[in-house]
Amino acid sequence: MKYALAFATLLATPALAGPDPESLSDGLSAEEWQAVLEAAEGQTVYWNAWGGSTTTNAFIDWVGSRVKEEYGVTLEHVKLSDTADAVSRVLAEQQAGQNEGGAVDMIWINGPNFAAMKGQNLLFGPFAEALPNWQYVDVENKDVQTDFTLPVEGYEAPWAMAQVVFIYDEASLPEPPRSIPALLEWAKANPGRFTFPQPPDFLGSTFLKQALIDLNGGDPALSEPVEAADDYAASTEALWSFIDELTPNLWRQGRAYPQTGPRQLQLIADGEVDIAISFSPGEASTAIANNELPPTARTYVLESGTIGNASFVAIPYNSSVKSGAMVVANFLMSPEAQVRAQDPEVLGYGTVLSMDKLPEADRAAFEALDLGVATLSPAELGKAQPEPHPSWMTKLTEEWIEKHGVKE
Amino acid sequence: MYLPRATLPALTIALLTLPVGLGLFFTLAPALGYMGAPGEAPFMRLMDWPGIAPATRLSLTTGFAATLLSLTITALIAAGWHGTRAFTALQRLLSPLLSVPHAAAAFGLAFLIAPSGWLARALSPWLTGWDRPPDLLIVQDSAGLALIAGLTAKEVPFLLLMLLAARSQTRSEAHARVATTLGYPRAIGWLLVAFPALYAQIRLPVYVVLAYSMSVVDVAMILGPNTPPTLAVQITRWMADPDLSLRGVAAAGALWQLALVLAGLALWRGLEALAARAGTALAMSGRRLPRLNASLRALGLALGLAVALSVLAGLASQALWSVAGYWSFPDALPDTLSLRTWGRHGPMLWPIAVTTLLIATLAALAALALVTGCLEAEARHGFRMGPAGRLILYLPLLIPQIAFLPGLQVLMLTLGLREGLWPVVLSHLTFVLPYTLIALSGPFHAVDTRYFTAAASLGAGPTRRFWRLRLPLLLAPLLTAFAVGFAVSVGQYLPTLLLGGGRVTTLTTEAVALTSGGDRRAIGAYALAQTAAALLPFALALAIPRLMFAGRKGMRGG
């Protein structure tokens, strides 16, 4: 009752256009959610999300048309070339004292960007676990409550699962190397046919982490901040000797790198490289459908598994349309949006929902999906390895840049 | 309507200097430790970055090489071919290239020259024997050669236009003819006699090219090296880094970039003196150099054609990609053609194109009104724009964008101004104004003043003379100046992104965002739309005077 009252006061005061985070920590009653829906109607939500992928853009566009129909929320996709642009925007607003009516209402975010925003108190919340569709989320088997080992605590809502896969062309490479040492042997025998996005690109840094985990898997130091590691040098020795041996055998002898993940797909299609790293198990199938990869492209994971994490949306503390943003975040976790996102013809992103928790009809919709010719089944993907603490990514990236990023 | 006579010039000067000055201040304050910037000792951290020396060197070498090369090609084309049909043809071929946005041109070039690019595809495997692309570092090479080529391809049309405009202000051609009668071959005579006078006229545009080439971001991201990148690209990356303490380092980098550009300009100035001395020595020696003349002419034509064809072929390749099905190496053409990309992006393209055209129209119109007002005030009241005035005019183009736009964004937020369309239009105006003034001032001063004397003697006052005589006489140049301003606005990336708060989407911000992905089909479609938007007013500028003055041949030029 106390919360309902708080809500009523809130909605009566137009200046406070958003829900009160205090009231969200215990979940929302049906009436309270109804109040959020009413406040959301007519709001325009500016969703800042990376705009480099045609398929993601089309999906966000579809989300926009659905939330408009269903809830009267207008969704505007602010296409970023780098998520950090939005982070710095909110920071600039905080520095300028603009604590209301910020330009960013929702951000597609995870990992270091989330850590930075949460650390600077730039996020609204906790809200995610109060959303109605949270009930379907697979909190038991999917890593949706930590983001790179940082507790999420409801400050961001998960909407897609990602796991590292390697893309290759079956026609030119029938037997791809299924471990990091095997990759090195293969690269030495086939110089110039492999590369990875240049760190600090997210996927490039992920490649470093993946190599680290594959080379000394199970190192408990990885889940702690890197500063706490007793012997950082010993933990990373194998990684750097791998990178040192690999680099001269890379595409362009490691003197140039693709700048982003999707660029690698173009390199495969151009016949310049044979293997690419991806963080989206369905990306290859989708790219085949879009003529961006040859029809013979396939994916694989390493023998001992690959890292996985969740993609989230977060709401900046100074958004004036928090209700609208919550409605969109909730819709993204709905079975309808999740089925569509998993469809390889659309996005091919893994769902965050638990099949066991879904109503029968929704489960059937998931089961009816054809995941696409190049997408591995959940069994083939295996359970994802957990991400190391974000400080590892920062440290590895810094060290890589120092060793290899500026040497020309 | 009565305005104090200095209103428009004062407003124009404010629009040119205030954004730059305030922006610089608010960018640099964090670097100097004011304004509670996150991070400590930004300058120390900047100097500790292991790539600082190579990145600095790269910015200098690529900037100088691109400027020197574009100036040389421009001079050779004019020297060897002025007054010939080939010159007119080359000029026709090059001037539309001025409006091709930098990012689109860079993308086209990258696909053309890459080891798996269009040239290699056309020659493989029948000539080269390649059934896989060779592992050659051509695009993003460590020396920045591809970057230099890309910048040169875009700057030659600009410098050529400036040179053509300057011709009317000097007696260069007459002097060159005298040299010819003294037995100097065409190119040598022009270079020794006409070029020095013309260079004095286009000196500031050349400095603009140098400052721009040293600090460019979008072209350097596409064609430049990455291990490390140029300084400007690295600053942009620091600004975008999730580690917020790097903002201070970015501000320090912006200051370093500014110092670098200023040092570069001083160095160029020194080179000018050396070149002048060498030229004088050559002229005094009396040598006619007929054989060199022939090779210079051939070289000028070849390089001019190479510039034009590389940009045009690049655009053609993007057109092809936008309708390509699967297209693998070494096929010279795609397997299948389809309109799928256009079907997908068409519906999203329209509203974005409308925003782009709206912003460009507003900025170009405002610039045209201000510039015409300034020139008219100058003509009526006898203001003269001295060297200081010309420097102010070029200020927004000489100071690297990356050094003052972020500060402008902070300033706007501090003042509580909302991001959106108007700030974007205003910021575009700062960059559109100089180009509009450059494009219009030559033709404005070239109008025969005896018309006005005659009109005055018939009783027409200054206002009537302006509206009934000056403007109609200037219709063609006014339209051209509008088109130039429009194209400049269409191509703006950083101002649109920063002052629009990400909420104002134009064809350019969209194209550059797509660049970070790898979808060549989508990039092709947006690059074409972007180019079309910039070219549209040029087509109108050609067509409108022809229609309005169908019966009057002398009024159709422009």
Side-chain angles (χ1 to χ4, degrees), chain B residues 176-551:
Chain B
R177 270 197 295 280
V178 174
T180 319
T181 61
L182 292 172
Y184 278 94
R186 176 193 287 269
I188 305 289
W190 190 92
L191 284 174
L192 286 177
V193 178
F195 184 65
L198 283 171
Y199 182 78
Q201 291 293 317
I202 63 162
R203 176 179 275 140
L204 279 171
V206 171
Y207 292 175
V208 167
V209 171
L210 182 63
Y212 176 82
S213 304
M214 284 176 70
S215 59
V216 62
V217 174
D218 49 359
V219 181
M221 278 187 188
I222 298 165
L223 292 170
N226 276 305
T227 53
T230 61
L231 188 62
V233 172
Q234 185 63 38
I235 296 171
T236 317
R237 288 199 187 147
W238 277 324
M239 287 190 175
D241 200 282
D243 178 358
L244 300 174
S245 74
L246 285 174
R247 300 301 137 86
V249 183
L255 192 59
W256 181 240
Q257 174 81 65
L258 181 63
L260 199 62
V261 167
L262 295 178
L265 290 172
L267 190 61
W268 185 269
R269 187 98 210 186
L271 290 179
E272 277 175 6
L274 283 182
R277 219 184 265 184
T280 314
L282 189 59
M284 296 305 284
S285 76
R287 293 166 66 192
R288 304 303 199 250
L289 303 166
R291 246 187 269 166
L292 181 64
N293 180 65
S295 13
L296 285 184
R297 291 192 71 191
L299 191 65
L301 188 65
L303 289 173
L305 280 176
V307 163
L309 292 182
S310 65
V311 178
L312 292 175
L315 282 179
S317 78
Q318 298 191 67
L320 196 54
W321 268 111
S322 76
V323 293
Y326 187 62
W327 185 6
S328 68
F329 189 87
D331 303 338
L333 295 171
D335 290 351
T336 52
L337 295 181
S338 90
L339 286 174
R340 200 183 144 144
T341 309
W342 287 98
R344 251 176 124 152
H345 293 280
M348 290 183 255
L349 242 155
W350 268 116
I352 297 173
V354 169
T355 314
T356 312
L357 297 181
L358 180 68
I359 294 172
T361 308
L362 290 173
L365 271 183
L368 198 61
L370 283 169
V371 163
T372 316
C374 283
L375 290 169
E376 179 68 14
E378 195 180 285
R380 281 192 205 175
H381 307 296
F383 290 136
R384 285 304 299 162
M385 192 165 59
R390 290 183 57 177
L391 197 63
I392 286 176
L393 166 62
Y394 280 94
L395 199 63
L397 309 183
L398 288 173
I399 306 292
Q401 287 194 353
I402 193 80
F404 71 91
L405 285 173
L408 214 51
Q409 187 194 18
V410 172
L411 173 69
M412 265 186 47
L413 287 169
T414 314
L415 294 178
L417 294 174
R418 292 305 301 264
E419 63 292 315
L421 201 65
W422 286 109
V424 172
V425 172
L426 271 177
S427 71
H428 281 203
L429 189 53
T430 301
F431 301 101
V432 169
L433 264 175
Y435 287 105
T436 311
L437 192 47
I438 291 166
L440 195 61
S441 62
F444 194 97
H445 293 301
V447 174
D448 194 335
T449 49
R450 285 172 297 184
Y451 285 120
F452 303 112
T453 317
S457 68
L458 292 171
T463 308
R464 189 172 158 82
R465 293 201 298 269
F466 175 71
W467 290 106
R468 299 299 301 270
L469 212 49
R470 175 85 78 180
L471 286 189
L473 278 171
L474 281 173
L475 180 69
L478 281 171
L479 288 170
T480 309
F482 175 81
V484 169
F486 194 93
V488 169
S489 167
V490 168
Q492 294 299 322
Y493 172 64
L494 223 44
T496 318
L497 182 76
L498 293 180
L499 298 177
R503 290 187 174 186
V504 178
T505 310
T506 64
L507 291 170
T508 298
T509 58
E510 196 75 1
V512 177
L514 277 169
T515 314
S516 68
D519 188 347
R520 267 197 205 134
R521 292 166 187 82
I523 294 168
Y526 273 92
L528 277 193
Q530 203 193 3
T531 308
L535 271 174
L536 179 77
F538 278 99
L540 291 178
L542 279 180
I544 291 175
R546 269 162 214 260
L547 290 173
M548 285 188 63
F549 302 120

Side-chain angles (χ1 to χ4, degrees), chain A residues 204-340:
Chain A
S205 303
T206 301
F207 176 73
L208 298 179
K209 284 188 293 186
Q210 184 64 69
L212 177 69
I213 290 178
D214 202 65
L215 290 167
N216 40 340
D219 187 344
L222 299 188
S223 56
E224 298 298 321
V226 70
E227 297 79 24
D230 296 331
D231 197 350
Y232 172 77
S235 291
T236 54
E237 193 188 350
L239 171 70
W240 295 123
S241 76
F242 160 71
I243 292 287
D244 289 344
E245 280 187 73
L246 178 70
T247 303
N249 294 302
L250 287 175
W251 180 75
R252 309 286 186 253
Q253 304 87 48
R255 295 164 70 207
Y257 291 84
Q259 296 304 301
T260 61
R263 280 280 176 85
Q264 301 174 101
L265 304 192
Q266 189 69 60
L267 288 178
I268 291 188
D270 286 346
E272 296 221 1
V273 301
D274 290 327
I275 301 177
I277 184 171
S278 164
F279 221 129
S280 165
E283 185 178 14
S285 297
T286 311
I288 293 172
N290 285 329
N291 286 319
E292 290 174 66
L293 278 179
T296 45
R298 295 291 181 270
T299 56
Y300 69 96
V301 290
L302 302 178
E303 275 159 4
S304 54
T306 49
I307 352 179
N309 66 29
S311 285
F312 295 90
V313 288
I315 304 173
Y317 81 104
N318 63 350
S319 160
S320 53
V321 291
K322 298 190 180 91
S323 302
M326 283 169 64
V327 167
V328 177
N330 186 56
F331 177 75
L332 284 170
M333 294 193 297
S334 69
E336 179 193 358
Q338 290 286 312
V339 167
R340 191 173 167 94

